[in-house]
Amino acid sequence: MAIRNIRKDNDEILRKISKKVEVIDDRILTLLDDMKDTMYEAKGVGLAAPQVGVLRRVVVIDVGEGPIELINPVIVFESGKIIDEEGCLSLPGRDGAVARPEKVIVRAQDRNGKTFEKSGTDLLARAFCHEVDHLNGILFIDKVIPQEQLEKK
Ligand code: NI
């Protein structure tokens, strides 16, 4: 168990594409454990490996229903749309409104290498999308809807 340093702001690693995990070895298991510790310590609801400087497709999420570990996550279904405030541990103080699907299903591997699917609505759906974006070098600020546009609606 260890707290890792969270990469922030213009750190270039946040813009890189993470590699698929081919073998779930001790390094990946330690990474998962450290990422959970780091997420809870920072009081976040999700964390992706590039945020701790590791370009691997590994994500942890806890929206208050217990920890979810995702290895090689892929969004396989999405429906609906909700615009809500979103933030990121890597971009402190820069919250903004982002449109995300209301419901998604994510397919991933667990720490034993078993493939599973998990559906999420509202905040959990948002977290799945936000964290998978991180693995592709995409940050929520790329998707923020400007205030002027929100007011027009
Ligand atoms: Ni984030």
Coordinates of all heavy atoms in Angstrom, one line a residue, residues 24-58:
I24 N -1.4 -9.7 -16.2 CA -1.8 -9.1 -14.9 C -0.8 -9.7 -13.9 O -1.0 -10.8 -13.3 CB -3.2 -9.4 -14.5 CG1 -4.2 -8.8 -15.6 CG2 -3.6 -8.8 -13.1 CD1 -5.6 -9.2 -15.5
D25 N 0.3 -9.0 -13.7 CA 1.4 -9.5 -12.8 C 1.4 -8.7 -11.5 O 0.5 -7.9 -11.3 CB 2.8 -9.4 -13.5 CG 3.1 -8.0 -14.0 OD1 2.3 -7.0 -13.6 OD2 4.0 -7.8 -14.8
D26 N 2.3 -9.0 -10.6 CA 2.4 -8.3 -9.3 C 2.5 -6.8 -9.5 O 1.9 -6.0 -8.6 CB 3.6 -8.8 -8.5 CG 3.3 -10.2 -7.9 OD1 2.1 -10.6 -8.0 OD2 4.2 -10.8 -7.4
R27 N 3.1 -6.3 -10.5 CA 3.2 -4.9 -10.7 C 1.9 -4.2 -10.9 O 1.6 -3.1 -10.5 CB 4.1 -4.5 -11.9 CG 5.6 -4.7 -11.6 CD 6.5 -4.3 -12.7 NE 6.4 -2.9 -12.9 CZ 7.3 -2.2 -13.7 NH1 8.3 -2.9 -14.3 NH2 7.2 -0.9 -13.8
I28 N 1.0 -4.9 -11.7 CA -0.3 -4.4 -12.0 C -1.2 -4.5 -10.7 O -1.9 -3.5 -10.4 CB -1.0 -5.2 -13.1 CG1 -0.2 -5.0 -14.5 CG2 -2.5 -4.8 -13.3 CD1 -0.3 -3.6 -15.0
L29 N -1.0 -5.6 -9.9 CA -1.8 -5.7 -8.7 C -1.4 -4.6 -7.7 O -2.3 -4.0 -7.0 CB -1.6 -7.1 -8.1 CG -2.1 -8.2 -9.0 CD1 -1.9 -9.6 -8.3 CD2 -3.6 -8.1 -9.4
T30 N -0.1 -4.4 -7.6 CA 0.4 -3.3 -6.7 C -0.1 -1.9 -7.2 O -0.5 -1.1 -6.4 CB 1.9 -3.3 -6.6 OG1 2.3 -4.6 -6.2 CG2 2.4 -2.2 -5.7
L31 N -0.1 -1.8 -8.5 CA -0.6 -0.5 -9.1 C -2.1 -0.3 -8.7 O -2.5 0.8 -8.3 CB -0.5 -0.6 -10.6 CG -1.1 0.6 -11.4 CD1 -0.4 1.9 -11.1 CD2 -1.0 0.3 -12.9
L32 N -2.9 -1.3 -8.8 CA -4.3 -1.2 -8.5 C -4.5 -0.8 -7.0 O -5.3 0.1 -6.7 CB -5.0 -2.6 -8.7 CG -5.5 -2.9 -10.1 CD1 -5.8 -4.4 -10.2 CD2 -6.7 -2.0 -10.5
D33 N -3.7 -1.5 -6.1 CA -3.8 -1.2 -4.7 C -3.4 0.2 -4.4 O -4.0 1.0 -3.6 CB -3.0 -2.2 -3.9 CG -3.6 -3.6 -3.9 OD1 -4.8 -3.7 -4.2 OD2 -2.9 -4.6 -3.7
D34 N -2.3 0.6 -5.0 CA -1.8 2.0 -4.7 C -2.7 3.0 -5.3 O -2.9 4.1 -4.7 CB -0.4 2.2 -5.4 CG 0.7 1.4 -4.7 OD1 0.4 0.8 -3.6 OD2 1.9 1.4 -5.2
M35 N -3.3 2.7 -6.5 CA -4.3 3.7 -7.0 C -5.5 3.9 -6.1 O -6.0 5.0 -6.0 CB -4.7 3.2 -8.4 CG -3.6 3.5 -9.5 SD -4.0 2.7 -11.1 CE -5.5 3.6 -11.5
K36 N -6.0 2.8 -5.5 CA -7.1 2.9 -4.6 C -6.7 3.8 -3.4 O -7.4 4.7 -3.0 CB -7.6 1.5 -4.1 CG -8.5 0.8 -5.2 CD -9.1 -0.4 -4.6 CE -8.1 -1.5 -4.5 NZ -8.7 -2.8 -4.1
D37 N -5.6 3.5 -2.8 CA -5.1 4.3 -1.7 C -5.0 5.7 -2.1 O -5.4 6.6 -1.3 CB -3.7 3.8 -1.2 CG -3.7 2.4 -0.6 OD1 -4.8 2.0 -0.2 OD2 -2.6 1.8 -0.5
T38 N -4.4 6.0 -3.2 CA -4.2 7.4 -3.7 C -5.6 8.1 -4.0 O -5.7 9.2 -3.6 CB -3.4 7.4 -5.0 OG1 -2.2 6.6 -4.7 CG2 -3.0 8.8 -5.5
M39 N -6.5 7.3 -4.6 CA -7.8 7.9 -4.8 C -8.5 8.3 -3.5 O -9.1 9.4 -3.4 CB -8.7 6.9 -5.6 CG -10.2 7.3 -5.7 SD -11.1 6.1 -6.7 CE -11.2 4.7 -5.5
Y40 N -8.5 7.3 -2.5 CA -9.2 7.6 -1.3 C -8.5 8.8 -0.5 O -9.2 9.6 0.1 CB -9.3 6.3 -0.4 CG -10.2 5.3 -0.9 CD1 -9.8 4.0 -1.1 CD2 -11.5 5.6 -1.2 CE1 -10.6 3.0 -1.6 CE2 -12.4 4.6 -1.7 CZ -11.9 3.3 -1.9 OH -12.8 2.4 -2.4
E41 N -7.2 8.8 -0.5 CA -6.5 9.8 0.2 C -6.8 11.2 -0.4 O -6.9 12.2 0.3 CB -5.0 9.5 0.1 CG -4.2 10.0 1.3 CD -3.4 11.2 1.1 OE1 -3.2 11.6 -0.1 OE2 -2.9 11.8 2.0
A42 N -7.0 11.2 -1.7 CA -7.3 12.5 -2.4 C -8.8 12.8 -2.4 O -9.2 13.8 -2.9 CB -6.8 12.5 -3.8
K43 N -9.6 11.9 -1.8 CA -11.0 12.0 -1.8 C -11.7 12.2 -3.2 O -12.6 13.0 -3.4 CB -11.5 13.2 -0.9 CG -11.0 13.0 0.5 CD -11.5 14.1 1.4 CE -11.4 13.8 2.9 NZ -10.1 13.4 3.3
G44 N -11.1 11.4 -4.1 CA -11.7 11.3 -5.5 C -12.6 10.2 -5.6 O -12.7 9.3 -4.8
V45 N -13.4 10.2 -6.8 CA -14.3 9.0 -7.0 C -13.7 8.1 -8.2 O -14.4 7.1 -8.5 CB -15.7 9.5 -7.4 CG1 -16.3 10.3 -6.2 CG2 -15.7 10.3 -8.7
G46 N -12.6 8.5 -8.7 CA -12.0 7.7 -9.7 C -10.6 8.1 -10.0 O -10.2 9.3 -9.7
L47 N -9.8 7.2 -10.5 CA -8.4 7.5 -10.9 C -8.0 6.5 -12.0 O -8.3 5.3 -11.9 CB -7.5 7.3 -9.6 CG -6.1 7.9 -9.7 CD1 -6.1 9.4 -9.7 CD2 -5.3 7.4 -8.4
A48 N -7.3 7.1 -12.9 CA -6.7 6.3 -14.0 C -5.2 6.2 -13.9 O -4.6 7.2 -13.5 CB -7.2 6.9 -15.4
A49 N -4.6 5.1 -14.4 CA -3.2 4.9 -14.2 C -2.3 6.1 -14.7 O -1.3 6.4 -14.0 CB -2.7 3.6 -14.8
P50 N -2.6 6.6 -15.9 CA -1.7 7.7 -16.3 C -1.7 8.9 -15.3 O -0.7 9.7 -15.3 CB -2.4 8.2 -17.7 CG -3.7 7.5 -17.7 CD -3.6 6.3 -16.9
Q51 N -2.7 9.0 -14.5 CA -2.7 10.1 -13.5 C -1.6 9.9 -12.4 O -1.3 10.8 -11.7 CB -4.1 10.2 -12.8 CG -5.2 10.7 -13.8 CD -6.5 10.9 -13.0 OE1 -7.2 9.9 -12.9 NE2 -6.7 12.1 -12.5
V52 N -1.2 8.6 -12.3 CA -0.1 8.4 -11.4 C 1.2 8.0 -12.2 O 2.1 7.4 -11.7 CB -0.4 7.3 -10.3 CG1 -1.4 7.8 -9.4 CG2 -0.8 6.0 -11.0
G53 N 1.2 8.4 -13.5 CA 2.4 8.3 -14.3 C 2.7 7.0 -14.9 O 3.8 6.7 -15.3
V54 N 1.6 6.1 -15.0 CA 1.8 4.8 -15.5 C 0.9 4.7 -16.7 O -0.4 4.7 -16.6 CB 1.4 3.7 -14.5 CG1 1.6 2.3 -15.1 CG2 2.3 3.8 -13.3
L55 N 1.4 4.5 -17.9 CA 0.6 4.4 -19.2 C 0.1 3.0 -19.4 O 0.5 2.4 -20.4 CB 1.4 5.0 -20.3 CG 1.7 6.5 -20.2 CD1 2.7 7.0 -21.3 CD2 0.4 7.3 -20.3
R56 N -0.7 2.6 -18.6 CA -1.4 1.3 -18.7 C -2.9 1.4 -18.5 O -3.4 2.3 -17.8 CB -0.9 0.3 -17.6 CG 0.5 -0.1 -17.7 CD 0.7 -1.1 -18.8 NE 2.1 -1.2 -19.3 CZ 2.5 -1.9 -20.3 NH1 1.6 -2.6 -21.0 NH2 3.7 -1.9 -20.7
R57 N -3.7 0.5 -19.2 CA -5.1 0.7 -19.2 C -5.7 0.1 -17.9 O -6.3 -1.0 -17.9 CB -5.8 0.1 -20.5 CG -5.2 0.8 -21.7 CD -5.9 0.4 -23.0 NE -7.0 1.2 -23.3 CZ -7.1 2.4 -23.8 NH1 -6.0 3.0 -24.2 NH2 -8.2 3.0 -24.0
V58 N -5.6 0.9 -16.8 CA -6.0 0.4 -15.5 C -6.7 1.6 -14.8 O -6.3 2.8 -14.9 CB -4.8 0.0 -14.6 CG1 -5.2 -0.2 -13.2 CG2 -4.1 -1.2 -15.2

